[in-house]
Amino acid sequence: MKRLAKIALFASALCLASPGPAALAQQGQVLNLQDADIRVFIQDVARATGLTFVVDPRVQGRVTVSSQEPLSQTELFEVMLSTLRANGLVAVPSGNRTYRIEPAAGAGQAGAAQAAGSAAGFSTQVFRLRALDAKSAAETLRPLVSPQGAVMPSQRGNLLVVADYADNLRRVRSLLAQVDQDRGTTETVTLRSSSAREIASVLNELLAGPGADPRAPNGLVSIVVVDSSNSIILKGEPEVVRPLLGVIADLDRRAESAGDVRVVQLQHANAEQLVPVLQQLVGQAVTTPTPAVATGGREGEGAAPTAPAAAVPAIASSGGGRANIARYPGANAIIIAADPETQRMLAEVVRQLDVRRQQVLVEAIVVEVSDEAAKRLGVQFAIAGINGSNIPFAATNYSNTAPNLPAILGAAAAEKNLPENSPTLEVLRNAAVSSILAANGIVTGGAGNINDDALFGLIINAVKSDTASNLLSTPSIMTLDNQEATLLAGQEVPITTGEVLGDDNSNPFRTIQRQNVGVALEVKPQINAGGTVTLFLRQEVSSVAGPVSANFEELILNKREITTTVNVDDGEIVVLGGLLDQNERVSVERTPLLGDVPVLGHLFRGTNKQKTKTNLMVFIRPTIVRDAAEARALTGPRFGYISDRQPRRDPRAQSDLEALVRHYMGATPPNALPPAPAPPPPAQAPQ
């Protein structure tokens, strides 16, 4: 029966298929379907209207449609679209007189276009907003769009893309036309006695809701500060902006009558360094601190005013009076006595200078590798006649060989010929012992008689030494940007600068100057744009080499010093300089004629060869420390490095350094992990 009813409904449409849609539109049809298959209904509408429908396999269900009057072709298509929408389906245009019928869920993301101007069809429209923000407008419209629709904001161009049924789109279009209008007003207020930034901060706190951050946008009025003219620009609804104008005028008027003295509390800058700058701006005599004296006074103590030549003020006082600036030593504060306009300009200068300065950690590595090789070969002999023999005394002695054979022979002869308590014997003994102790390497020799006429002695000394040293120092220091810092790790060595014996040694005295010996690092960093650091530095490594000689007790100091200015990127390592030094010295002493004889001539020579090679390199690495988190990140590994190298009885126990920080300072070591957050309290059951 149902199938027969449908055939009766569309009989005329099937018969008039050949005349075309115009004839069908004039004739009209009456619908009366009861529980018909929706796919068959779509097929019959396609035959009646001449349209093509591509049916998604997910389209299933049964429909009931009835009409009291005949429907035209357009009305029949509208009825089909309404029937599809009632069953969660939608017809999406996909070509010329072609539609794709699919479930409505997800049709908004498919980017459907408007379906023949139908209210039940799915459409996509782009709205260009003039006054509203696209993101906030999308949040407002999302609840008004059907579940199958979609709202997508585009920040570029301030566009809003809406995909929904056509009737919903008409309501969205009408709503946007009413809301997207710029009814706000813009007002510019120039202040005379107050600071524009200070007034803007007060207005933001006034407009912020309870518990809201006053620095965040309030959403009611846009407040813009113009520092160049000390002005405030307000933009918003007239009924909100108008009361603020009265508040600004009242605050500016009260500031004008508040007095000519203002105290500025500094947050980061140093008042002692900032006061001379402000004094130069207003033409006041600059108060400069006296330099630190040699008694240990710190820089800045005992400040005394100095009156240089009259300076031309960079900031002219509008009130005609003279501006005076002073510093209160008991606090980091500046006192400004001037008219309100001058106060405001100076306060703006202070605001821009009173910022937290970045820090720089400067690490240096000084590496010196040296090799020294020495070879020494010496032959000494002596012969002397005895018992009235005519053999003369003869001996060889070379300064580059040891021990000294004549000294030993002199001591041996004195043992036989001088009494035991003779002072000369004691002197000769000491000279012989010192000569033997000065010998290095292998020393061999011998003595004997030539018949009963002569004595002879022979000493051969041979030595070869190789010495390698590796000097490694890593000084590091942290300082503020554009602040000079000095690090010294070493000793103060006394150096004689003068000596007076007086007449007959009656009043001898000696003047001594102490000199720093060790590792010294002087640096002044300057942070530039782009993360580069300009370093003005002096690096010195010095040590005591020993006395000049056994008879001259003055000290020899080894010194390596670099003074330079370099540009280094943040965290990078660069070489400051280096020295490759190779020195070779050969000393030969020989007996004339006899020392030149081949082979046998070695018995009449003393040879000393020394070869020294030194490699010195200095590296530098600056690291910018911008905040407390970066400071902790740098301090933690170094604290742990030192802590791990402290001796401890139990490896599992904490080191002495960690115990001192925890128990004495009552703080957490910088290398320790932050404590875990406390668990939330258990929920209590309602009473």
Side-chain angles (χ1 to χ4, degrees):
M1 292 295 296
K2 297 177 181 178
R3 180 63 177 170
L4 294 175
K6 288 188 288 183
I7 295 174
L9 285 170
F10 295 103
S12 60
L14 296 175
C15 295
L16 298 176
S18 56
L24 289 175
Q26 294 176 358
Q27 184 176 0
Q29 299 296 330
V30 176
L31 291 178
N32 189 8
L33 302 179
Q34 298 294 329
D35 197 22
D37 188 350
I38 193 171
R39 300 175 70 90
V40 176
F41 173 57
I42 295 172
Q43 181 180 2
D44 293 340
V45 173
R47 292 173 180 172
T49 60
L51 300 175
T52 301
F53 298 104
V54 179
V55 183
D56 191 280
R58 295 173 294 174
V59 176
Q60 301 291 336
R62 310 188 76 81
V63 297
T64 298
V65 184
S66 61
S67 66
Q68 301 297 327
E69 299 179 356
L71 302 177
S72 65
Q73 184 182 24
T74 302
E75 293 172 340
L76 182 62
F77 180 63
E78 290 285 348
V79 169
M80 188 198 74
L81 293 180
S82 300
T83 304
L84 293 177
R85 180 175 179 179
N87 288 269
L89 303 173
V90 66
V92 180
S94 59
N96 185 20
R97 298 179 59 81
T98 303
Y99 294 88
R100 184 178 68 255
I101 299 178
E102 60 184 24
Q109 286 74 19
Q114 186 174 359
S118 170
F122 219 84
S123 301
T124 301
Q125 187 167 351
V126 179
F127 299 93
R128 183 179 297 276
L129 305 180
R130 295 173 298 174
L132 296 179
D133 178 65
K135 186 176 181 180
S136 60
E139 297 295 332
T140 304
L141 294 178
R142 191 163 284 118
L144 305 179
V145 178
S146 64
Q148 295 79 20
V151 180
M152 294 162 286
S154 174
Q155 295 299 330
R156 176 175 294 181
N158 201 31
L159 302 177
L160 191 67
V161 182
V162 182
D164 201 0
Y165 294 103
D167 52 354
N168 268 356
L169 280 179
R170 283 194 292 270
R171 288 192 291 270
V172 170
R173 188 182 306 110
S174 175
L175 178 62
L176 287 178
Q178 301 177 28
V179 176
D180 188 26
Q181 297 182 7
D182 188 5
R183 298 186 179 90
T185 183
T186 301
E187 297 287 345
T188 301
V189 182
T190 301
L191 304 176
R192 298 187 57 185
S193 304
S194 303
S195 170
R197 288 193 174 272
E198 182 179 356
I199 297 298
S201 176
V202 172
L203 296 180
N204 283 324
E205 293 183 8
L206 186 64
L207 296 173
D213 186 2
R215 295 172 297 180
N218 53 71
L220 299 175
V221 180
S222 298
I223 303 176
V224 180
V225 177
V226 183
D227 292 325
S228 59
S229 61
N230 195 38
S231 303
I232 297 179
I233 301 177
L234 304 177
K235 182 179 181 181
E237 297 292 334
E239 56 272 14
V240 181
V241 173
R242 199 173 298 114
L244 296 180
L245 297 178
V247 173
I248 295 173
D250 183 58
L251 292 176
D252 194 32
R253 184 174 59 255
R254 292 175 182 271
E256 183 177 1
S257 60
D260 292 340
V261 178
R262 180 176 182 179
V263 178
V264 181
Q265 296 285 347
L266 301 181
Q267 303 296 324
H268 305 284
N270 187 351
E272 183 181 1
Q273 299 177 354
L274 191 56
V275 164
V277 177
L278 301 180
Q279 290 174 339
Q280 291 180 14
L281 293 179
V282 298
Q284 180 184 347
V286 178
T287 302
T288 57
T290 57
V293 296
T295 56
R298 291 169 15 186
E299 182 180 355
E301 296 182 352
T306 60
V312 178
I315 298 178
S317 177
S318 61
R322 183 177 179 85
N324 291 308
I325 303 171
R327 175 179 68 93
Y328 175 54
N332 193 30
I334 295 176
I335 303 173
I336 303 175
D339 59 274
E341 180 67 15
T342 305
Q343 289 184 21
R344 183 197 62 78
M345 290 185 289
L346 292 178
E348 179 62 22
V349 174
V350 172
R351 184 194 65 81
Q352 298 185 37
L353 296 178
D354 187 22
V355 295
R356 176 171 177 171
R357 295 164 63 182
Q358 297 179 348
Q359 302 181 92
V360 179
L361 173 64
V362 180
E363 300 171 288
I365 301 177
V366 182
V367 184
E368 180 178 340
V369 181
S370 62
D371 297 323
E372 183 177 354
K375 294 181 181 180
R376 181 184 299 171
L377 176 62
V379 179
Q380 302 178 64
F381 72 91
I383 186 171
I386 58 176
N387 299 327
S389 173
N390 294 327
I391 299 177
F393 173 78
T396 61
N397 180 30
Y398 305 116
S399 60
N400 56 6
T401 60
N404 192 308
L405 181 57
I408 299 176
L409 293 177
E415 289 287 342
K416 296 181 179 182
N417 300 317
L418 296 178
E420 184 65 26
N421 57 356
S422 173
T424 305
L425 176 61
E426 185 66 22
V427 172
L428 293 176
R429 284 177 178 176
N430 293 335
V433 172
S434 300
S435 178
I436 295 174
L437 293 178
N440 294 322
I442 182 172
V443 179
T444 183
N449 296 336
I450 302 177
N451 297 326
D452 292 329
D453 297 329
L455 296 174
F456 72 92
L458 176 68
I459 292 180
I460 300 176
N461 173 222
V463 61
K464 179 181 180 181
S465 63
D466 292 305
T467 303
S469 62
N470 183 11
L471 173 64
L472 178 65
S473 60
T474 57
S476 62
I477 191 170
M478 182 180 290
T479 182
L480 289 174
D481 180 26
N482 277 304
Q483 188 71 38
E484 185 176 352
T486 302
L487 171 69
L488 174 63
Q491 297 177 323
E492 287 188 346
V493 178
I495 305 295
T496 302
T497 59
E499 184 176 10
V500 177
L501 299 178
D503 297 336
D504 300 328
N505 292 334
S506 58
N507 186 23
F509 68 90
R510 176 182 297 179
T511 58
I512 294 177
Q513 179 182 358
R514 296 189 177 272
Q515 182 173 340
N516 296 326
V517 175
V519 179
L521 175 63
E522 298 178 4
V523 62
K524 180 180 179 182
Q526 175 183 306
I527 302 176
N528 305 321
T532 62
V533 180
T534 300
L535 296 177
F536 309 91
L537 58 85
R538 187 183 74 89
Q539 170 70 57
E540 176 185 325
V541 177
S542 56
S543 61
V544 178
V548 176
S549 64
N551 299 325
F552 191 55
E553 297 180 355
E554 295 301 326
L555 300 178
I556 298 176
L557 301 181
N558 296 327
K559 190 174 183 181
R560 306 112 180 138
E561 180 180 353
I562 290 181
T563 302
T564 184
T565 302
V566 293
N567 275 337
V568 190
D569 289 334
D570 179 21
E572 296 295 329
I573 300 177
V574 297
V575 59
L576 292 183
L579 174 64
L580 304 179
D581 181 30
Q582 184 170 342
N583 186 13
E584 185 172 353
R585 178 181 296 178
V586 179
S587 173
V588 179
E589 296 183 11
R590 67 185 72 187
T591 302
L593 300 178
L594 297 178
D596 298 329
V597 177
V599 182
L600 294 179
H602 291 284
L603 299 176
F604 301 93
R605 296 181 194 169
T607 304
N608 187 359
K609 294 182 179 180
Q610 291 182 345
K611 185 177 182 180
T612 304
K613 181 185 295 184
T614 302
N615 299 324
L616 173 65
M617 289 290 172
V618 179
F619 303 90
I620 202 75
R621 178 177 185 257
T623 303
I624 300 177
V625 182
R626 298 173 177 83
D627 50 28
E630 293 187 1
R632 286 193 298 268
L634 288 174
T635 305
R638 288 158 178 79
F639 185 92
Y641 178 85
I642 297 298
S643 177
D644 293 342
R645 277 151 183 79
Q646 283 194 314
R648 61 187 78 178
R649 296 180 180 178
D650 187 358
R652 296 170 296 179
Q654 61 182 356
S655 65
D656 294 340
L657 181 59
E658 292 180 348
L660 187 65
V661 171
R662 292 184 185 274
H663 302 303
Y664 179 73
M665 293 185 175
T668 302
N671 63 329
L673 296 176
Q684 297 181 355
Q687 300 292 334

